[in-house]
Amino acid sequence: MRIAAFLPEILRHLFKKPATVDYPFQKLEVPKDFRGTPFLHPELCIVCRACVRDCPAEAIDILTVNEADKKFKMVIHNDRCIHCAQCVESCPTAPKALEMDHLFEIAAFSRWDLKKEWEYVKAQVKPKAAAGTPSAEAKS
Amino acid sequence: MAILKPLLYIFVYPGVIFLFVYSTFCEWFDRKVYARLQNRMGPTHTGRWGILQPVADFIKLLAKEDIVPERADKTLFTLLPVVGIAAVSTAMMLLPVWHYNVANSSPNSFSGDIIVLLYILTLPTLVFFLAAWSSTSFFSTIGGARVLTMLFGYEVPLFLAVLSPAIMAGSWRLAEIAAFYQHKPLLLLPNIIGFVVSVICLQAKLERTPFDIPHAETEIVGGTFTEYSGKKLALFRLMTDVEMVAGSGLIAAVFLGGFPGGVILGFVNFVVKTLLIIFLLTLIRALTSRIRIDQVISFSWKYLAPLAVLQLLITIVLKGFVR
Amino acid sequence: MKFTVPIGPQHPALKEPISLRMTLEGEVIRDADIRLGYNHRGLEKLAEEKTWLQNIYVTERICGICSHSHATCYTQGVEKLMEIEPPKRGIYLRFLVAELERVHSHLLWLGVAGHEAGFDTFFMYTWRDREVVMDILEMVSGNRVHYAINTLGGVRRDIDDLQKKKILDSLDFLRRRSEFYFKIGANEPSFVARIAGVGRLSKEDALALCAVGPTARASDISQDVRKDDPYGMYAEVPFEVATATSCDVLGRVVVRVKELMQSYNIIEFLLKNLPDGPVAVRAPRRAKPNEVVSRYEAPRGENIHYIKSNGTDKPERLKVRAPTLANYPATVVMLRNGFIADIPLIFAAIDPCICCAERAVVLVDGRSGEEKIVLMSELRKQAHERWKKAPLKKDAVWPF
């Protein structure tokens, strides 16, 4: 038992800079592997729908715009996204068509503002890392 | 001129305007130092270094919805914050800041004003209890019971500790006590035990951290203030701040030799000495955790009261030598 | 005078909704009644609708603080069902994150204990230093709270030498700070006065009421799944089970600080002996019909997942027994004959995670207090009737 055991520690910090980061005015760097929000490289997507299948939050939709022209539309509902990056994991193309950026300030006034859309033509590249996965099954 | 001086005394310094400005400043000082001791930033964005934060809080609370519980005693519930703030402001009037004459007594400085001041500083405690009791909520009732229980713990040591320098000075008048110690500053040293005891008791009176039992938020929500909101809560918060200034002013007047040197120098003296005491209060607040109500009582009767009696004995023995 | 005070469902001492009804005599608690069911989220049912892979993320969201515990417990079970063995490096990394999570959880708890006792300075400093662990976890896994590092058959990310060095460097700092907090926690008179002898739970009671985790270990029961039923690589890691004999809140503080030290040692061991190789193996999408019980020592105590598969890519049943649920009966005993001022401390000492433990909702008649079990269709019918009778609330105003 010692009276005022904390005293030296707190007096030491009296004239030190606070540990708090003055957040909106001053920002911390996020690490390089930070899982931010997912985004699509439309030229790489082969529309295998592996991301749609594996997304735990059902946040990704791939809609068919025009079957004949092989035109598709991917919608990522960032309001539902739980930022687990499973879609990136599941993406079978060699440079990943889906990637995570470092954005974490994605608040918006309406959940519709959080919706992101890409309209693109299906890429012709064959999947490389797809051995064994049933990724090619979902072509419809 | 004869009328102007009392008016200035009541409304400007150390009256209403000074009290509001200085008590909010003291709250800011307390919060900022407390935050820095915890390696935090504290108030930052309102005014320079967040200095206007307590004022902003006060104004914000004034603008909030004012709710009176249906089953509460409405008159008492509404009246109490006003009574409380009136009581502590009156206590402030009695401090020997300026506009007094050591030779003659005046309405703001007379023989026995130290007793009156101590008595007036007890009123906020009763106001807290009545406020808690009249709001009829469970948490308030428990808080009110705790307020009174604690009063029996710290009040006696505080009186004993504050009165022993008065015995040494041989006067019951704050101005004379201060003048006595300004004359013989060395005699302040034997009062060190009383100083420590009274600072701890002031902490208990202000219901700050080791003694914030009546409104311990993790136990009984808001305690005394559970049902208070809006303007009334704002007044209560201001009242606690003013009480802090008045209480530390009392301790500074009794233990630190008062505020000599007329208006300007006296003002500087007042600010420096009260801020020193408020810093000590903040340090205690940062250093300790909240104790239980039974521990408060046993602590104050086992340690504080004997120490205060010891201080009284030292004073009496020393007085024999000095005379 | 006896009266009942409701602590919760909304109360500043509780971070999540739970109702504690205290029967008080003055300041002394005579009886306590814990009512759950304010935070039921239907996660077990949701898990039956998701695939094995998606369920990792669902189970991770059972709890915010021990997210990795639930995910790992589930993943372990599913790996057993699928008959796959994760590679050694994957296992090591998985439990590296697990130990880091234990460190962060215990530091968080230390701060909360300080806050509940009104010792806010202690709270601020512990939480400041907890940021170090949070940063490590963010660096290793890409997120501060939901690490999502588990996958079926291993982990999703590897660490490099730079990260390894960073973690080892911060360990020194954390060790020093934890020792300092232990010194403060055991020496500051006002804090010790609040926690010593408070919330007594004798060894017999702890055994009889099936307390788990630090609550049991503070009552001198050497019980730790990592030791008793080693999973992962815990059989090869040297560590001791921290116990205390004082059976009170102080004992729980001591146990947690000792565990912090053990965790630092384990982290150091794991990093120094990190084997080479892949971090994950490929997992099948379906599991054969079977059932499995997976045990895991979460920071709060033993975590149990029961998983049943039916040959499809979705579980037939997932049952979660969170450690907090096992500690509730003991809490009632601890609260009895305590002071009202000790409620937050005693309750916080089991480190309650209320939403983890919410597995069922009981319907109680508000007037008679009668409990009953009602079919969903019946409930819906009642709601319809009520809705028909209810007055229009179109122009509802606040009653002034």
Side-chain angles (χ1 to χ4, degrees):
Chain A
M1 210 73 92
R2 226 174 70 220
I3 291 172
F6 227 137
L7 192 64
E9 176 81 6
I10 63 172
L11 281 184
R12 211 155 51 77
H13 284 96
L14 185 54
F15 296 105
K16 268 195 183 172
K17 227 173 134 282
T20 325
V21 178
D22 198 4
Y23 165 60
F25 307 106
Q26 209 184 331
K27 279 166 194 167
L28 281 179
E29 278 285 305
V30 290
K32 76 175 190 327
D33 294 333
F34 182 75
R35 299 200 306 272
T37 33
F39 68 97
L40 180 73
H41 297 292
E43 68 281 3
L44 293 171
C45 179
I46 55 164
V47 201
C48 65
R49 290 190 166 83
C51 48
V52 181
R53 193 192 52 207
D54 277 344
C55 178
E58 295 165 15
I60 305 177
D61 281 337
I62 296 184
L63 310 168
T64 315
V65 177
N66 190 331
E67 185 74 55
D69 296 349
K70 292 187 171 174
K71 272 185 110 172
F72 295 90
K73 188 160 99 177
M74 179 185 272
V75 186
I76 296 182
H77 302 271
N78 273 320
D79 51 333
R80 288 185 224 155
C81 178
I82 58 171
H83 307 276
C84 62
Q86 180 60 45
C87 47
V88 180
E89 197 100 329
S90 301
C91 190
T93 59
K96 299 262 183 194
L98 267 167
E99 259 188 273
M100 302 299 268
D101 58 21
H102 284 186
L103 286 181
F104 54 93
E105 293 164 311
I106 50 165
F109 284 109
S110 150
R111 63 187 310 167
W112 307 116
D113 297 348
L114 286 166
K115 208 156 85 169
K116 270 200 265 176
E117 290 180 357
W118 291 270
E119 223 182 295
Y120 56 95
V121 178
K122 180 179 167 182
Q124 288 305 315
V125 199
K126 286 267 175 261
K128 268 183 192 166
T133 47
S135 54
E137 77 186 359
K139 271 219 165 170
S140 62
Chain B
M1 196 62 197
I3 296 174
L4 192 67
K5 232 178 163 186
L7 278 181
L8 272 179
Y9 192 82
I10 290 171
F11 289 107
V12 181
Y13 172 69
V16 181
I17 292 173
F18 170 75
L19 257 190
F20 182 75
V21 172
Y22 189 58
S23 60
T24 48
F25 172 77
C26 283
E27 192 196 326
W28 171 82
F29 178 77
D30 173 47
R31 279 167 70 173
K32 195 78 178 173
V33 171
Y34 186 54
R36 281 302 156 93
L37 289 173
Q38 295 178 342
N39 210 355
R40 289 188 291 121
M41 294 170 82
T44 312
H45 299 299
T46 324
R48 188 100 177 115
W49 308 302
I51 204 160
L52 291 176
Q53 191 62 49
V55 184
D57 288 355
F58 184 75
I59 293 169
K60 184 199 81 179
L61 272 178
L62 285 186
K64 289 279 169 189
E65 189 188 356
D66 200 348
I67 302 163
V68 180
E70 217 157 78
R71 283 173 61 195
D73 184 340
K74 294 200 179 54
T75 335
L76 206 57
F77 193 82
T78 319
L79 213 59
L80 281 167
V82 184
V83 173
I85 203 151
V88 287
S89 310
T90 316
M92 191 66 195
M93 296 287 113
L94 291 173
L95 287 178
V97 186
W98 66 286
H99 188 51
Y100 65 90
N101 190 341
V102 182
N104 304 322
S105 64
S106 55
N108 67 335
S109 175
F110 47 86
S111 185
D113 60 356
I114 185 168
I115 309 281
V116 177
L117 188 50
L118 280 171
Y119 166 71
I120 291 177
L121 280 180
T122 314
L123 281 183
T125 317
L126 288 175
V127 166
F128 283 152
F129 167 70
L130 286 174
W133 200 258
S134 65
S135 47
T136 63
S137 130
F138 271 132
F139 298 117
S140 300
T141 314
I142 295 170
R146 287 177 173 192
V147 167
L148 273 200
T149 319
M150 245 171 57
L151 177 77
F152 294 118
Y154 63 76
E155 204 67 6
V156 174
L158 178 67
F159 273 44
L160 286 176
V162 169
L163 291 186
S164 48
I167 290 171
M168 174 76 102
S171 163
W172 296 111
R173 191 176 156 200
L174 278 169
E176 279 174 15
I177 298 169
F180 174 80
Y181 285 111
Q182 281 153 30
H183 195 59
K184 294 171 181 164
L186 267 184
L187 280 180
L188 284 172
L189 286 178
N191 290 337
I192 191 88
I193 302 173
F195 178 68
V196 172
V197 169
S198 56
V199 165
I200 293 173
C201 288
L202 182 65
Q203 184 85 344
K205 203 180 221 346
L206 294 169
E207 293 170 5
R208 288 150 61 87
T209 278
F211 309 103
D212 62 344
I213 309 156
H215 52 85
E217 58 144 18
T218 50
E219 293 155 23
I220 47 170
V221 195
T224 345
F225 308 123
T226 310
E227 300 297 335
Y228 275 91
S229 58
K231 300 178 193 66
K232 300 185 186 96
L233 184 64
L235 282 185
F236 264 140
R237 284 174 52 109
L238 187 68
M239 170 188 154
T240 326
D241 294 340
V242 175
E243 197 188 351
M244 180 160 78
V245 174
S248 47
L250 169 71
I251 292 180
V254 174
F255 288 101
L256 300 179
F259 325 106
V263 180
I264 308 293
L265 213 60
F267 173 78
V268 174
N269 255 318
F270 183 79
V271 168
V272 169
K273 282 174 183 172
T274 45
L275 281 188
L276 175 75
I277 287 163
I278 290 169
F279 177 73
L280 287 180
L281 293 177
T282 312
L283 210 57
I284 297 177
R285 183 169 155 216
L287 269 176
T288 49
S289 82
R290 184 189 309 128
I291 51 181
R292 265 201 317 265
I293 187 81
D294 54 318
Q295 288 164 347
V296 173
I297 303 299
S298 63
F299 170 71
S300 44
W301 285 105
K302 261 189 203 158
Y303 301 103
L304 288 184
L307 277 176
V309 171
L310 179 71
Q311 172 66 52
L312 209 59
L313 279 177
I314 292 175
T315 314
I316 291 167
V317 170
L318 212 67
K319 197 173 172 182
F321 282 110
V322 170
R323 282 286 155 92
Chain C
M1 187 177 73
K2 259 194 191 178
F3 54 98
T4 317
V5 173
I7 305 280
Q10 305 293 331
H11 189 279
L14 306 167
K15 271 66 193 170
E16 290 166 90
I18 188 172
S19 177
L20 302 166
R21 291 183 193 182
M22 301 291 165
T23 309
L24 298 177
E25 244 181 61
E27 286 258 337
V28 182
I29 305 160
R30 286 293 171 226
D31 203 6
D33 182 14
I34 294 184
R35 299 268 171 108
L36 313 173
Y38 294 92
N39 209 352
H40 178 59
R41 294 170 297 166
L43 269 164
E44 285 177 5
K45 191 69 196 164
L46 179 67
E48 291 166 22
E49 319 259 302
K50 303 265 177 201
T51 62
W52 294 113
L53 188 68
Q54 289 172 333
N55 269 332
I56 298 173
Y57 307 106
V58 174
T59 47
E60 193 164 46
R61 273 149 185 84
I62 289 174
C63 179
I65 306 298
C66 43
S67 60
H68 189 71
S69 311
H70 285 286
T72 311
C73 195
Y74 167 81
T75 315
Q76 259 179 186
V78 176
E79 276 163 3
K80 236 178 262 173
L81 280 179
M82 290 178 169
E83 291 156 1
I84 48 173
E85 185 69 36
K88 211 154 178 212
R89 190 179 173 90
I91 294 258
Y92 267 57
L93 286 177
R94 180 182 286 173
F95 292 104
L96 172 76
V97 174
E99 290 305 320
L100 283 170
E101 184 196 58
R102 196 183 309 279
V103 170
H104 120 72
S105 173
H106 281 355
L107 278 176
L108 173 132
W109 182 84
L110 268 181
V112 169
H115 174 68
E116 303 285 8
F119 198 0
D120 276 354
T121 314
F122 192 66
F123 165 61
M124 295 292 171
Y125 277 91
T126 40
W127 278 45
R128 184 196 71 186
D129 295 335
R130 174 174 164 261
E131 283 302 302
V132 176
V133 194
M134 301 296 274
D135 285 347
I136 295 176
L137 281 167
E138 191 184 19
M139 181 183 73
V140 169
S141 71
N143 213 324
R144 281 162 56 92
V145 177
H146 292 300
Y147 319 119
I149 199 155
N150 278 325
T151 188
L152 298 176
V155 292
R156 287 169 57 187
R157 290 185 182 206
D158 205 347
I159 63 169
D160 53 31
D161 286 342
L162 201 72
Q163 289 172 328
K164 216 160 121 178
K165 200 177 151 292
K166 250 187 186 163
I167 300 173
L168 282 173
D169 288 348
S170 346
L171 273 186
D172 281 343
F173 173 77
L174 285 168
R175 264 205 193 103
R176 224 173 39 242
R177 294 304 298 180
S178 306
E179 267 161 23
F180 175 72
Y181 294 131
F182 184 57
K183 215 177 72 195
I184 297 288
N187 275 315
E188 169 57 39
S190 58
F191 190 52
V192 173
R194 278 306 297 280
I195 57 176
V198 164
R200 197 162 277 282
L201 180 73
S202 66
K203 189 173 179 179
E204 293 74 38
D205 277 349
L207 274 174
L209 297 167
C210 303
V212 294
T215 315
R217 289 197 281 276
S219 294
D220 200 18
I221 300 171
S222 174
Q223 172 211 66
D224 192 324
V225 184
R226 290 177 293 173
K227 209 66 160 180
D228 305 340
D229 182 11
Y231 52 88
M233 74 308 127
Y234 279 110
E236 31 188 290
V237 178
F239 74 100
E240 285 158 22
V241 178
T243 54
T245 48
S246 59
C247 306
D248 55 3
V249 178
L250 180 62
R252 282 156 221 155
V253 174
V254 171
V255 162
R256 286 196 168 94
V257 178
K258 276 188 188 165
E259 263 178 38
L260 274 178
M261 295 303 172
Q262 294 299 331
S263 280
Y264 298 143
N265 291 345
I266 297 175
I267 293 168
E268 204 173 352
F269 177 88
L270 290 181
L271 283 174
K272 294 231 164 106
N273 298 296
L274 197 62
D276 290 327
V279 291
V281 293
R282 186 165 286 283
R285 289 197 70 83
R286 290 163 212 280
K288 286 191 211 96
N290 207 342
E291 55 186 351
V292 71
V293 170
S294 171
R295 302 169 78 194
Y296 178 94
E297 184 72 22
R300 297 175 159 115
E302 185 182 353
N303 187 6
I304 301 173
H305 282 214
Y306 165 78
I307 309 157
K308 190 173 177 188
S309 60
N310 55 4
T312 61
D313 60 349
K314 285 169 187 156
E316 166 112 2
R317 176 85 174 94
L318 169 70
K319 166 86 189 91
V320 178
R321 203 294 310 265
T324 309
L325 193 69
N327 277 333
Y328 280 146
T331 316
V332 175
V333 172
M334 287 188 251
L335 282 170
R336 245 173 236 156
N337 296 327
F339 288 97
I340 186 171
D342 297 332
I343 296 172
L345 265 174
I346 296 173
F347 194 62
I350 65 164
D351 200 358
C353 179
I354 288 144
C355 68
C356 299
E358 302 273 310
R359 288 288 156 264
V361 177
V362 176
L363 295 173
V364 183
D365 193 307
R367 287 193 191 83
S368 61
E370 191 185 318
E371 292 179 8
K372 51 186 172 181
I373 296 168
V374 183
L375 283 177
M376 191 66 197
S377 53
E378 181 68 23
L379 200 66
R380 183 170 285 164
K381 222 165 80 192
Q382 278 182 14
H384 264 281
E385 270 165 29
R386 202 190 142 96
W387 171 70
K388 273 179 195 154
K389 274 189 224 155
L392 276 179
K393 280 196 178 166
K394 214 161 63 185
D395 304 318
V397 285
W398 281 103
F400 284 110

